[in-house]
Amino acid sequence: MPQHVAIIMDGNGRWAKQQGKLRIFGHQNGVKAVRAAVNFAAKHQIKVLTLYAFSSENWNRPEAEVSALMNLFMKALDSEVKKLHKNNIRLKIIGNKSAFSNRLQQRIAESEALTANNTGLTLNIAANYGGYWDIITAAQVLAEQVKNEQISIADITPERFQQALVTGDQPQVDLLIRTSGEQRISNFLLWQIAYAELFFSPVLWPDFDEQHFAQAIEAYQQRDRRFGGC
């Protein structure tokens, strides 16, 4: 089994359109697929599951949709965190949290604190996340350490740089899944997926269930991973 699986949860809007509904209807139904993915990962002892919930570019969407997404995020935290804690799952929200309301930031902090000592699956929710932002922030952290003479320039190795990323205490991504048939990375975990296997599913995210997840795992297990070697 892969240790770290990342998923770009794409297709909520198109799914809603097929139902003749507003885009937020698709996002609401996408929560069911999140539950299924978390259940699958926990059941099959995957160590880390990272879900791309809201990118740093998503702020450019219509204001009403962004507002609805923030409300859905808050509601999901309120309804799901106790279940995660009960199932020994550690929750981490990765991304630039400073852009969120004070109320949402406080709820995120409370949720992370509640589950911090859990030892099962680590569930990363990438919210207001961008790969560029992650890399630049890590570079700034290391530059500050050099400036303060805590480390030297020569100390900046790939391993140290990786530790400065938001997933620094976690294994690199083994498998990246994107739903809805689109074949793009969309500024997601750019450093972390350097040697990941990619799987593009035609299924729209609200319809992505444990069977579809299993198909992606089966495809991964048939790959010959060489990590840049011959």
Side-chain angles (χ1 to χ4, degrees):
M1 295 296 290
Q3 293 189 75
H4 188 167
V5 177
I7 305 179
I8 300 175
M9 306 181 293
D10 195 15
N12 288 334
R14 274 168 283 169
W15 187 89
K17 187 176 180 180
Q18 289 178 0
Q19 313 295 317
K21 304 284 188 178
L22 296 176
R23 289 175 59 88
I24 190 60
F25 183 73
H27 297 304
Q28 291 168 342
N29 280 271
V31 174
K32 299 175 185 177
V34 170
R35 292 193 193 106
V38 172
N39 287 338
F40 181 92
K43 185 165 55 179
H44 291 86
Q45 299 183 327
I46 293 170
K47 291 184 177 179
V48 183
L49 176 65
T50 301
L51 303 178
Y52 204 10
F54 188 85
S55 77
S56 51
E57 291 78 24
N58 286 161
W59 294 107
N60 297 322
R61 292 185 176 184
E63 184 177 347
E65 182 179 354
V66 171
S67 178
L69 281 169
M70 293 300 105
N71 289 333
L72 182 61
F73 191 14
M74 179 74 78
K75 185 177 179 181
L77 286 174
D78 290 337
S79 65
E80 302 296 327
V81 170
K82 289 182 180 178
K83 298 175 189 175
L84 296 177
H85 184 48
K86 183 179 179 181
N87 287 284
N88 196 32
I89 295 172
R90 179 175 69 143
L91 176 68
K92 292 192 69 175
I93 308 299
I94 59 172
N96 184 2
K97 291 173 274 193
S98 65
F100 298 137
S101 68
N102 291 335
R103 181 166 170 258
L104 181 52
Q105 288 185 54
Q106 180 180 352
R107 192 68 189 91
I108 288 171
E110 291 169 352
S111 300
E112 291 181 326
L114 176 65
T115 64
N117 296 321
N118 291 341
T119 57
L121 172 72
T122 293
L123 173 61
N124 296 323
I125 302 295
N128 196 26
Y129 176 89
Y132 288 167
W133 167 85
D134 196 3
I135 291 170
I136 289 170
T137 302
Q140 291 171 341
V141 168
L142 294 176
E144 190 68 24
Q145 291 177 357
V146 171
K147 179 182 176 182
N148 295 333
E149 299 183 348
Q150 296 172 286
I151 63 172
S152 69
I153 292 176
D155 291 328
I156 302 176
T157 61
E159 291 75 20
R160 186 181 288 271
F161 195 92
Q162 180 179 327
Q163 290 170 2
L165 298 168
V166 292
T167 56
D169 63 337
Q170 301 170 8
Q172 295 285 71
V173 176
D174 296 305
L175 172 63
L176 173 67
I177 301 169
R178 181 169 188 147
T179 59
S180 87
E182 300 292 346
Q183 299 184 20
R184 296 188 297 271
I185 302 305
S186 297
N187 194 22
F188 184 45
L189 299 176
L190 297 179
W191 178 284
Q192 294 91 332
I193 64 170
Y195 292 105
E197 297 297 319
L198 309 182
F199 182 86
F200 299 105
S201 170
V203 178
L204 300 177
W205 177 248
D207 291 329
F208 191 84
D209 57 20
E210 293 194 32
Q211 181 179 351
H212 296 119
F213 203 152
Q215 290 171 353
I217 295 295
E218 183 179 358
Y220 166 84
Q221 291 173 334
Q222 294 173 359
R223 305 278 177 90
D224 180 17
R225 302 188 73 197
R226 295 189 291 271
F227 300 94
C230 59

